[in-house]
Amino acid sequence: MELTSRAARRMAAATITCTAALLPAVALTSVGSAATISSPASQARLAHPVTAYVVNGGSATVTPIRTATNKAGKAITVGKDPVAIAITPNGQTGYVTNSRSDTVTPIRTATNKPGKAITVGKDPVAVAITPNGKTAYVVNENLSGPGTVTPIRTATNKAGKAITVGKDPVAIAITPNGQTGYVTNSRSDTVTPIRTATNKAGKAIAVGSFPFSIAITPNGKTAYVANYGSGDGPSATVTPIRTAINKAGKAITVGGYGSFPGDIAITPNGKIAYVLIAGDVFAAPGLVVPIRTATNKAGKAIMVGKVPVAIAITPNGKTAYVASQGFGSGQTVTPIDTATNNADKPIKGAGGPIAITPNGKTAYAVNDASGTVIAIRTATNKTGKTIKVGTDPVAIAITP
């Protein structure tokens, strides 16, 4: 199944969104250690209400949702075809990539006002922020040449010198200690490590075909790369990378021909990596394959909705929520009990990117077809009133 550039952009946005959503709040506030309640990072979080920001690709806006009330605020105008968002660990600024403007729009969360657009590389499709909040790294797919990553100093919102990576980069993940960013280069079949202290790219790491999403264990020791294009071969695979030496381990088989690994998420305790598998035919059921990180062995596949595109895990690690596009059967979100790997009854109403509040009480899932978001009470898996946002919502992130 060929993944179009626009599809790659949307899936990359979902990957970045969900990777951020599954991390515990404390992991986002510090490098290598949890913040205490008296720390400046914690005080900054407590000073602002928890807000979900929904990126609307079709209307070139971002809709803020107050999670305390589930009320949408006034839409915030950004650049053309926004596709991704990341929020600083202190919750003060959101950075939105505008793929057709070649810019990033910073949003002050205290006022929900956009700042001056920051010029980056061509076709920015993903963004991630270091745990100390000092630098945002923007992945520029650059469909007409080599891909790059642009570092932005968050204190000044100034872009630094672009870092050359592989061809058609689509996703980035940063180690919990903030020392290295890993970029998936979809058309080079490689991952590029970037030293954040120097903003220098290291030697590219060979992985599988069309590496798409990437997630790093909470201890920072292993990065797991989902090789989307491996579904065109005899075995669909995920490649583990040892971050201490930047070497790829033996590929982990997660399916056969026609199985396409997409989004990937890791439980907060680091024991299980969940990989979404889309079938070659849209009529095929979607699957989630759990990988034991201690052994890098894949477990029994879990059936979910057709064409799963996004996954988020609650901060307590008890439930994984998988959003599926459906294609004929309707968009759904499937809860999975991580203790048993049993799927619960699918929740109707959304099947796009998904994010979970820091307290783990509510999961917000996007419906790109209807321009809406549903709020799921994680205690009951019941939804509240549908929240109207902009046209073609493609990404969501929640303040810490």
Side-chain angles (χ1 to χ4, degrees), residues 15 19 22 173 184 213-217 222-226 263-266 273-274:
T15 300
T19 299
L22 66 92
T184 60
S213 62
I214 183 168
I216 299 172
T217 52
T222 309
Y224 288 89
V225 180
D263 199 10
I264 185 168
I266 300 172
Y274 288 95

Side-chain angles (χ1 to χ4, degrees), residues 139-356:
V139 176
N140 308 301
E141 189 176 14
N142 190 8
L143 299 174
S144 60
T148 62
V149 173
T150 302
I152 296 173
R153 290 281 302 277
T154 59
T156 61
N157 284 337
K158 299 294 184 183
K161 182 180 179 181
I163 306 160
T164 300
V165 292
K167 190 174 181 181
D168 287 8
V170 293
I172 182 171
I174 298 173
T175 53
N177 64 12
Q179 294 180 0
T180 310
Y182 289 89
V183 181
T184 60
N185 306 304
S186 64
R187 300 292 180 185
S188 299
D189 297 345
T190 60
V191 170
T192 299
I194 296 172
R195 288 282 302 276
T196 59
T198 61
N199 285 335
K200 300 292 184 183
K203 183 180 178 181
I205 305 163
V207 290
S209 173
F210 202 99
F212 174 67
S213 62
I214 183 168
I216 299 172
T217 52
N219 65 11
K221 292 183 177 181
T222 309
Y224 288 89
V225 180
N227 303 307
Y228 185 90
S230 62
D232 282 324
S235 299
T237 62
V238 169
T239 301
I241 296 172
R242 288 194 55 192
T243 59
I245 57 176
N246 284 337
K247 297 291 185 183
K250 182 180 178 181
I252 304 163
T253 299
V254 293
Y257 174 78
S259 300
F260 295 87
D263 199 10
I264 185 168
I266 300 172
T267 53
N269 65 11
K271 292 183 178 181
I272 305 290
Y274 288 95
V275 184
L276 306 190
I277 306 293
D280 188 23
V281 181
F282 284 166
L287 300 173
V288 179
V289 175
I291 296 172
R292 291 284 300 274
T293 59
T295 60
N296 283 338
K297 299 294 184 183
K300 183 180 178 180
I302 306 159
M303 190 176 295
V304 293
K306 298 176 186 176
V307 193
V309 296
I311 180 172
I313 300 173
T314 52
N316 64 11
K318 292 183 177 181
T319 309
Y321 287 88
V322 178
S324 302
Q325 283 287 293
F327 288 102
S329 59
Q331 297 189 20
T332 58
V333 175
T334 302
I336 295 173
D337 183 335
T338 60
T340 62
N341 283 335
N342 290 328
D344 202 347
K345 182 180 178 181
I347 303 162
K348 296 180 180 180
I354 185 167
I356 298 172

Side-chain angles (χ1 to χ4, degrees), residues 314 319 321 356-357 359-363 376-382:
T314 52
T319 309
Y321 287 88
I356 298 172
T357 52
N359 64 11
K361 292 184 177 181
T362 310
I376 302 168
R377 293 274 308 273
T378 59
T380 61
N381 286 332
K382 301 294 184 183

